[in-house]
């Protein structure tokens, strides 16, 4: 029991950090770049994706034995599209303001390769429990990335975070951050930062290995 | 366990019937879910939309309390309650007493970045624009978006003569009743708004009913949005 | 005296080299820009000098910081970072807060150059990448033009605190292009030629820019086809428009002398790194820029299109180069 | 006509699907390594987009007014099947064309640029001709962007981009610069 | 051909020049006024068996054999190969590996000179007019004559015209576009008669209509000397050429003189032209006049590192050291010694290596010439593109080669058409050794091709 709990936890952490869908696997970029010009939009998009991912992972792993191989992709897409439509309507009914901001990009969650990819690679081969842990991790990682990107763009672009002003009235907004080039460049630089961390870690590991080697 | 084995055996050679069947079931299932959610949210969504429109109309036509949709058909304005494809409506606003106040006219055109959708209020009796609101735009945050965020600019349209046509001038140079102070740094967007309104006027002014002969306020219950509002 | 057996060098041929070196080319461009720079400082005052120094210093520091440790000397040795900083500075409005210049210059070198692998590897003009970034980031500050004043003017806006808006306290004045685009007013030929107009630091005096260009051409550092192609195309295009409606469209002389046209055509489009290699390609490049400038100036949303025109053609340069390879000697002849 | 012209210019340059809307990024970043391939992918995209616009218009006009809630699912299913049918037809009728474009078709059918096209065209309320021009503009815009990108990347292939930067991070930053350059087209033909 | 094309052609007919190329300072002043001298015979002569293009020669003497000056010591190893002769009377002391100028070892025959022999040769004129074409070619091969223009390509191979082609012009290459070198220049002035005689032999044998001697305009005395020597009615003319490197590359020369481009991968004979260096023609003349095979050649010894620059007749096989010593030895500042011209020549590793049939010059260079600029990244300035006489894209070669994309260099950019003239490296402000990159690429491509076959 404890072991499987640990496993589930591992799956979760893997998605949030080690195999972060955006920063490490670079998946699901289109729907994310377009809407992440503020942290709150990032949260909204992240939550929408979260819901779709959890829902479809659950259904797919539940039905995995009933779906024949040949039509599995079609079935996955139908399942995903269903959840996306649900999210679309629910958002439209409950949070029309947010829905207006995210606009046409909500339906595009269907095309997010992250979701289909998880179904194909994980949910359709694992127990419901693990599938949910994996979905939770991936969705949380995606949410984290969206909020981080949206946050940076909002802080520089408007001097605010979640709508709260940070620098006072005299702040000069960095308009580009909210514009498309800002999205590209910020994500590029963030990936660069992750590469740099990775490189640094590798160097450190190599050093540690070297000193350990000499000790022996 | 044995079931699983069987399924695995079947997975090798499932009949095409089974494939189609699975898809059909999946489609059916998803259809059911979607329709359920659709029905559950339908009313709220409809109301949200109607409220949004109403708020916009009330904003561009001060003093208005009730509204109805008009279409231009066979040379005259007629009241319409159902959406019809391809026909562009305008809205008539009436005060508490049910007296006609003015029209709210939507129009759209290219702005700095993408299409800008404008709704503006027009009083035919005085031939003035009495309000302007941006329904949708992708203008640059901090610059172009001042066309709706900058109250000063929006106030330009509170009493604006349409004769001979509206003109945008450099900020601070407004002198005539048909002139608009453009936003510094967003001249293009400002001019776009003016152009869109001028185009709307060109299209609609000749089609409007003679002042005083506007269609009267019909039975209020007929408009769904009114029904919602009364609840 | 004869040596018994000298220690002989083995080097691959050819053993002779012409005298020009890359750092010397870069230095020539500094010299060519010197008159323009001094004039800019003369017109816009010490504030402008501070702005230029800030740009250059940031450019050099950024280059130093990002270049590999063992190659730093070599990366800095060519002097192109100084040039990028200088050219960026010359394209900025004189009252721009210094902290913004720091941002622009760091972006110019960091994003425009070092991530590509340093000098020679970048495919976009670094100074213009920096400027495009600044324009999209601080559109208002980047389009607030001040009138030329006396030498000791120092707009307080340049000392705005980092991240904060600068309040421009000197006389602001629309640039000749702004006047043209939004009010259809022409600026006189003489003013444009001698540079007593508002605008970017380095773009105001047409005469000095042309002088610098002639110097570079004489030193064979510059491909004459680029400025000539750009100016000819732009002037022809605007002449055609001018003949259609002279009240509304600028004439060819105004087009050639206003805004960044000369600075861009002579010093920025000619950046060898980001322009095509082949003679035919260079013509296509130049004509493309000339066309795009007028298109953007006259029909687009910005009063000035030089920067975008150059960046767009930079993007197309690899394609141009690829499809304009010269006919190799002895190939592609009619076979008898 | 002016309207159609503006729709085309706008989607081609000002509101380029890739550079301003972030749509079609996977092929844009993934397949832009080789010029030749990119160009053919671009052509295939134009083709699929035009088909999509047609399908979307038919669906919108004849089916979705009765069942708006099926929009997303029907778009996906119909576009995917129509493209598949056409793919089969091309394979039969013109094997050469199939070799040139066909291999890309499955890759594109489910991507977000195609779906986005259908959804945007619907949201904007475009009619048949407007929708087709919109699709043409979007497809050509995609082709323009990916061909430019491929040219840049082929060139960069030979230069010494630091290893740490190489890869998606670099491509994103280059896209950013390209997107910045395309900002120069903003406001084109709308200044009035 | 339509009228437009004709007008275009006549406009582009810049006779005497070709497009692109470079203008290095020519540094010929040091030696151009110095008459050709004879280098005294040394002691030891090293004759490498493979000093020409093609198959190495096969020794026909034994260790210890006594040989006479001009005696054949090795016979051709195949059709594309020539004979070797002893430059002195003496004794064969070694048949085996000897150091070559580039530092490698090659099979060679070493001859120790007989110190007391007067080194005279009998005069044995050959009646060339009576020879059949086949015999003529055989004689040229037997005489060991190779191209003296630098490539050392067996001369008789050029004369073996296959059926179907014919030669209209014999083009004598007196361009001497390499800086420093003046050996062709001096030969044209001092051996004018021999040159014209040799030209007549080759012209008649090849059935050519006319002999054209291409000479760069920086050798006016040579042009005058030739023009004075040409008899009225003789089908020989001198074509003055623009001073420009590589005017002497045969395809450029043909372009300059006839305004004809030799198609890539084709030979001059495919456009009806045979090209020979001045020295080559003179060697032919000497052979048929006196029976003396190719056992010596004219060499320019020059460069700022040489004490007394000179134009010397050097017996082949003499060590470079002896040649330099005769010219007063190397100055202290010398950093590099080059065999051939400064553009195409190679720097040598060992002064004891022998002079070869293809060695047109020995140059001693000092720090000033040998210091290499700091290498920077290519800034795409296009100077190399504007320099390449073959209209290739050297900048692209350098980049592709650095990225090891050799196949693309060949397929898209025709790297194999490059003649390694060095104009690109010469003109590059970033100090990129482009030619070196090109050589690496070509080597790689050739070895790949070898593997595939
Ligand atoms: C990044 C950026 C975004 C801009 N966005 C807008 C915009 O949305 N609307 C607009 O009218 N002008 C916009 N502009 C400014 C225009 O390009 C143009 O300079 C301006 O309209 C000129 O107005 P002015 O003469 O009042 O300064 C933008 C400029 C930049 C650099
Ligand atoms: C770049 C280059 C430059 C050359 N320059 C000369 C020259 O100046 N004089 C010359 O006789 N041959 C020159 N050659 C060699 C000629 O191309 C050609 O091989 C020669 O003239 C043929 O005559 P040969 O076989 O008698 O030597 C040059 C070759 C190259 C590739
Ligand atoms: C197999 C082969 C056959 C050749 N045949 C001829 C020929 O018939 N006529 C000719 O002028 N040159 C011939 N050449 C020589 C070349 O054209 C060229 O002169 C030689 O490679 C040296 O040229 P360079 O001194 O310019 O480098 C031949 C070369 C080779 C490798
Ligand atoms: C004629 C000439 C023009 C140049 N123009 C620019 C320029 O506009 N912007 C710039 O950053 N560098 C310029 N440079 C410098 C250099 O080429 C540039 O920094 C490289 O792009 C860096 O790789 C120029 C150099 C020369 C020789
Ligand atoms: S696969 Fe699809 S969702 Fe994923 S990054 Fe690519 S386009 Fe975006
Ligand atoms: S390069 Fe040298 S060998 Fe060749 S022609 Fe010129 S001088 Fe003669
Ligand atoms: S060495 Fe080759 S590439 Fe360079 S200039 Fe000469 S022919 Fe052209
Ligand atoms: S000459 Fe050198 S720097 Fe100039 S393009 Fe050629 S290789 Fe590059
Ligand atoms: S193309 Fe946009 S998500 Fe893949």
């Amino acid at each position: 029991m404890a072991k499987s709990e640990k496993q589930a936890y591992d799956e979760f952490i893997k998605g949030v950090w080690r195999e972060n869908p955006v920063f490490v696997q670079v998946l699901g970029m289109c729907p994310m770049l377009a809407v992440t010009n503020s942290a709150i939009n990032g949260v909204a998009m992240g939550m929408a994706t979260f819901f779709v991912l959890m829902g479809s992972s659950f259904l797919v792993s539940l039905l995995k034995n009933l779906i024949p191989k040949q039509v599995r992709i079609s079935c996955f897409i139908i399942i995903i599209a269903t959840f996306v439509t649900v999210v679309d309507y629910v958002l439209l009914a409950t949070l029309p303001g947010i829905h207006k901001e995210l606009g046409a990009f909500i339906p595009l969650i269907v095309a997010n390769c992250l979701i289909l990819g998880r179904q194909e690679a994980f949910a359709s081969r694992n127990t419901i429990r693990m599938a949910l842990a994996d979905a939770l991790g991936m969705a949380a990682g995606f949410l984290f990335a969206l909020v981080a990107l949206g946050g940076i763009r909002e802080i520089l672009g408007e001097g605010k975070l979640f709508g709260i002003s940070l620098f006072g009235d005299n702040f000069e907004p960095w308009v580009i951050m909210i514009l498309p080039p800002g999205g590209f460049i910020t994500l590029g630089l963030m990936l660069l930062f992750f590469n740099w961390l990775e490189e640094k870690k590798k160097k450190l590991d190599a050093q540690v290995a070297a000193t350990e080697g000499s000790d022996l | 366990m044995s079931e699983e084995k069987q399924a695995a055996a079947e997975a090798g050679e499932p009949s095409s019937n089974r494939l189609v069947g699975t898809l059909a079931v999946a489609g059916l299932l998803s259809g059911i879910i979607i329709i359920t959610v659709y029905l559950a949210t339908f009313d709220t969504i409809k109301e949200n939309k109607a409220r949004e429109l109403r708020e916009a109309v009330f904003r561009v036509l001060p003093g208005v309390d009730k509204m109805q949709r008009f279409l231009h058909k066979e040379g005259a304005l007629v009241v319409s309650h159902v959406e019809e494809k391809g026909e562009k409506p305008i809205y008539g606003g009436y005060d508490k007493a049910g007296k006609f106040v003015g029209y709210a006219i939507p129009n759209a055109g290219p702005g700095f970045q993408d299409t800008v959708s404008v709704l503006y209020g027009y009083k035919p009796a005085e031939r003035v624009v009495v309000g302007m609101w941006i329904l949708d735009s992708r203008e640059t945050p901090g610059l172009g978006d001042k066309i709706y965020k900058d109250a000063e600019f929006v106030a330009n349209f509170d009493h604006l003569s349409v004769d001979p046509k509206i003109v945008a001038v450099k900020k601070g140079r407004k002198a005539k009743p048909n002139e608009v102070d453009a936003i510094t740094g967003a001249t293009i967007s400002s001019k776009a708004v003016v152009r869109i309104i001028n185009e709307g006027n060109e299209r609609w002014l000749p089609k409007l009913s003679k002042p005083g002969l506007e269609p009267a306020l019909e039975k209020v219950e007929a408009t769904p949005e009114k029904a919602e509002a009364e609840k | 005296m004869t040596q018994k057996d000298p220690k002989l060098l083995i080097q691959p041929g050819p053993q002779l080299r012409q005298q020009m070196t890359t750092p010397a080319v870069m230095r020539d461009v500094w010299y060519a820009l010197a008159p323009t720079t001094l004039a800019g400082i003369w017109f816009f005052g010490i504030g402008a000098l501070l702005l230029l120094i800030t740009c250059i210093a940031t450019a050099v520091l950024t280059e130093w910081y990002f270049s590999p440790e063992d190659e730093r000397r070599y990366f800095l040795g060519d002097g192109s970072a100084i040039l990028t900083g200088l050219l960026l500075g010359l394209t900025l409005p004189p009252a721009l807060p210094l902290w913004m210049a720091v941002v622009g210059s760091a972006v110019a070198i960091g994003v425009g150059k070092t991530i590509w692998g340093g000098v020679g590897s970048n495919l976009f003009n670094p100074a213009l990448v920096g400027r495009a970034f600044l324009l999209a980031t601080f559109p208002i500050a980047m389009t607030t033009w001040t009138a030329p004043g006396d030498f000791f003017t120092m707009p307080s806006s340049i000392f705005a605190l980092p991240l904060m808006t600068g309040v421009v306290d000197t006389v602001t004045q629309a640039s000749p292009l702004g006047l043209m685009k939004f009010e259809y007013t022409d600026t006189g030929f003489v003013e444009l030629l001698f540079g007593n107009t508002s605008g970017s630091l380095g773009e105001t005096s047409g005469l000095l820019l042309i002088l610098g260009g002639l110097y570079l051409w004489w030193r064979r550092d510059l491909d004459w086809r680029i400025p000539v192609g750009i100016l000819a195309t732009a002037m022809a295009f605007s002449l055609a428009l001018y003949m259609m409606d002279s009240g509304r469209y600028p004439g060819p002389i105004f087009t050639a002398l206003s805004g960044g046209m000369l600075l861009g055509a002579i010093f920025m489009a000619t950046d060898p790194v980001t322009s095509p290699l082949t003679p035919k390609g260079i013509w296509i490049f130049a004509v493309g820029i000339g066309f795009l400038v007028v298109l953007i100036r006259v029909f687009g949303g910005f009063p000035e299109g030089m920067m975008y025109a150059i960046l767009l053609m930079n993007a197309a340069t690899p394609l141009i180069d690829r499809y304009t390879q010269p006919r190799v000697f002895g190939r592609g002849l009619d076979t008898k | 006509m002016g309207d159609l012209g503006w729709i085309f210019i706008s989607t081609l340059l000002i509101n380029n699907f890739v550079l301003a809307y972030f749509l079609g990024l996977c092929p844009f970043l993934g397949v832009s390594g080789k010029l030749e391939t990119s160009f053919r992918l671009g052509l295939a995209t134009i083709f699929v987009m035009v088909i999509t616009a047609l399908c979307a218009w038919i669906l919108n006009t004849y089916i979705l007014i009765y069942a708006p809630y099926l929009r997303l699912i029907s778009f996906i299913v119909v576009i995917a099947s129509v493209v598949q049918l056409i793919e089969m037809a091309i394979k039969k009728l013109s094997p050469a064309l199939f070799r040139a474009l066909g291999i890309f078709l499955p890759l594109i059918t489910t991507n977000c640029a195609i779906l986005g096209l259908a959804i945007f065209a619907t949201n904007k309320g475009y009619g048949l001709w407007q929708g087709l021009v919109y699709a043409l503009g979007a497809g050509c815009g995609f082709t323009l962007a990916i061909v430019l990108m491929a040219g840049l990347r082929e060139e960069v292939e030979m230069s010494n981009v630091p290893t740490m930067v190489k890869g998606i991070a670099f491509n994103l930053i280059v896209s950013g610069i390209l997107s910045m350059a395309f900002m120069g087209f903003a406001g084109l033909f709308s200044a009035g | 051909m339509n009228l437009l094309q004709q007008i275009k052609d006549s406009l582009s007919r810049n006779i005497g020049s070709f497009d692109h190329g470079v203008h290095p300072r020519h540094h010929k002043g040091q030696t151009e006024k110095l008459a050709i001298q004879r280098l005294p015979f040394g002691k030891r002569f090293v004759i490498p068996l493979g000093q020409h293009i093609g198959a190495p020669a096969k020794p026909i003497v034994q260790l210890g054999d006594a040989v006479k000056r001009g005696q054949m010591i090795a016979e051709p190893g195949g059709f594309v190969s020539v004979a070797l002769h002893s430059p002195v009377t003496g004794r064969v002391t070694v048949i085996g590996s000897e150091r070559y100028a580039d530092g490698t070892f090659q099979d060679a025959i070493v001859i120790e000179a007989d110190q007391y022999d007067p080194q005279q040769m009998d005069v044995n004129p050959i009646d060339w007019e009576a020879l059949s074409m086949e015999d003529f070619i055989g004689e040229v091969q037997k005489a060991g004559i190779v191209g003296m223009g630098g490539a050392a390509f067996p001369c008789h191979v050029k004369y073996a015209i296959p059926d179907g082609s014919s030669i209209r012009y014999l083009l004598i290459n007196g361009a001497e576009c390499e800086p420093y070198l003046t050996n062709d220049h001096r030969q044209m002035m001092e051996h004018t008669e021999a040159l014209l005689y040799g030209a007549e032999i080759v012209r008649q044998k090849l059935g050519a209509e006319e002999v054209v001697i291409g000479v760069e305009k920086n050798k006016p005395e040579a042009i005058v000397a030739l023009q004075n020597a040409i008899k009225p009615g003789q089908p020989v003319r001198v074509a003055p050429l623009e001073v420009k490197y590589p005017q002497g590359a045969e395809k450029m020369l043909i372009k300059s003189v006839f305004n004809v481009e030799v198609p890539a991968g084709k030979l001059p004979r495919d456009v009806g032209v045979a090209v020979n260096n001045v020295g080559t023609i003179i060697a032919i003349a000497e052979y048929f006049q006196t029976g003396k095979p190719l056992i010596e050649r004219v060499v320019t010894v020059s460069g700022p590192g040489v004490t007394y620059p000179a134009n010397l007749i050097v017996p082949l096989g003499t060590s470079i050291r002896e040649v330099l010593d005769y010219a007063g030895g190397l100055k202290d500042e010398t950093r590099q010694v080059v065999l051939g011209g400064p553009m195409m020549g190679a720097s040598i590793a060992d002064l004891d290596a022998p002079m070869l049939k293809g060695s047109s010059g020995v140059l001693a260079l000092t720090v000033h010439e040998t210091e290499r600029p700091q290498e920077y990244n290519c800034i795409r300035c296009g100077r190399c593109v504007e320099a390449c006489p073959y209209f290739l894209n050297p900048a692209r070669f350098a980049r592709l080669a650095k990225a090891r994309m050799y196949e693309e260099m060949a397929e898209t950019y025709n790297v194999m058409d490059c003649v390694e003239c060095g104009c690109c490296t010469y003109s590059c402000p970033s100090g990129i050794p482009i030619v070196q990159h090109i050589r690496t690429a070509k080597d790689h491509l050739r070895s790949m091709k070898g593997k595939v076959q």
Side-chain angles (χ1 to χ4, degrees), chain C residues 5 9 15 22 119 327 330-331, chain E residues 261 264 321 342 377 417 430:
Chain C
D5 228 296
L9 264 176
Q15 310 300 345
T22 296
V119 68
R327 181 180 67 82
R331 282 190 187 268
Chain E
E261 266 181 41
R321 184 186 305 283
N377 284 349
D417 286 7
S430 295

Side-chain angles (χ1 to χ4, degrees), chain E residues 25-271:
Chain E
R25 290 186 53 200
H26 51 74
H27 299 286
K28 295 190 194 253
Q30 274 184 310
T31 52
E32 67 187 352
K33 299 270 186 286
L34 304 178
I36 300 171
Q37 288 171 278
R38 180 166 279 280
L39 179 74
F41 291 93
K43 287 200 192 99
R44 188 171 185 268
F45 294 82
V46 180
I47 320 289
L49 297 176
Q51 54 179 294
H52 47 255
I53 289 174
K58 283 192 295 222
I60 52 170
V61 289
Q62 307 289 321
L63 202 62
D65 280 0
V67 291
K68 291 195 78 66
R69 181 159 183 250
Q71 179 187 335
M72 192 187 288
I73 55 174
E75 63 181 12
F79 180 66
V80 186
S81 181
V82 293
L84 294 174
H85 305 80
S86 174
V88 289
T89 303
R91 189 170 296 280
V92 178
T93 57
V94 177
I95 300 182
S97 261
E98 281 289 322
R99 181 82 84 166
Y100 212 57
D102 62 4
T104 58
F105 284 90
Q106 303 256 338
D107 281 341
I109 298 172
V110 179
I111 294 166
E112 205 78 57
D114 180 347
Q115 295 296 309
Y116 304 102
D117 193 274
Q119 305 293 8
Q120 291 297 330
M121 273 182 78
D122 303 334
V123 175
N124 277 324
I126 297 166
D127 180 10
W128 55 271
E129 269 165 299
L131 292 175
S132 70
M133 189 64 194
E134 218 164 295
D135 292 342
F136 173 73
I137 289 172
E139 285 295 328
V140 174
Q141 185 178 23
K142 220 171 77 190
I145 294 174
V146 299
M148 317 273 277
F153 183 78
C155 203
H156 66 280
V157 181
K158 283 194 191 177
Y159 299 158
I161 310 294
D163 294 340
S165 325
S166 65
I167 298 294
R168 275 186 72 189
Y169 298 103
L170 169 63
L171 180 54
I172 298 183
N173 189 343
E176 198 160 52
C177 55
E178 281 266 20
Y180 293 106
L181 301 188
T182 56
N183 52 327
D184 288 350
H185 181 179
R186 292 310 304 180
Q187 286 187 79
M188 283 186 280
M189 289 175 63
E190 297 178 35
H191 304 168
T192 323
E193 291 305 326
L195 178 61
L196 292 177
Y197 184 64
E200 190 56 24
I201 299 176
V202 179
R203 185 185 73 77
Q204 286 198 17
K205 282 295 160 195
L206 294 183
E209 291 166 16
E210 194 186 19
V211 178
V212 183
I213 309 176
V215 186
E216 276 191 354
K217 286 179 194 154
N218 60 355
K219 304 180 229 334
E221 309 96 320
I223 296 176
V224 172
L226 286 166
Q227 271 163 346
N228 290 340
I230 296 169
K231 290 176 204 79
Q234 203 176 356
V236 181
R237 99 181 133 89
V238 180
L241 307 170
E242 192 198 327
V243 183
K244 186 174 179 182
Y245 178 86
Q247 186 68 267
E250 62 187 6
K251 289 188 178 178
M252 294 305 122
L253 191 65
I254 293 171
K255 169 83 181 162
S256 291
V257 173
F258 303 112
N259 197 25
V260 167
E261 266 181 41
V262 181
K266 298 271 179 165
L267 297 170
R269 69 172 180 223
D270 295 313
V271 295

Side-chain angles (χ1 to χ4, degrees), chain C residues 98-118:
Chain C
L98 294 183
W99 73 266
M100 292 184 188
V102 170
V103 171
S105 202
V107 169
I109 296 287
V111 175
K113 188 169 168 193
T114 52
I115 67 158
W116 299 78

Side-chain angles (χ1 to χ4, degrees), chain A residues 30-31 111-112, chain D residues 22-27 111-113:
Chain A
C30 323
N112 188 333
Chain D
F22 304 101
L23 293 178
L25 284 187
C26 346
N111 97 8
C112 58

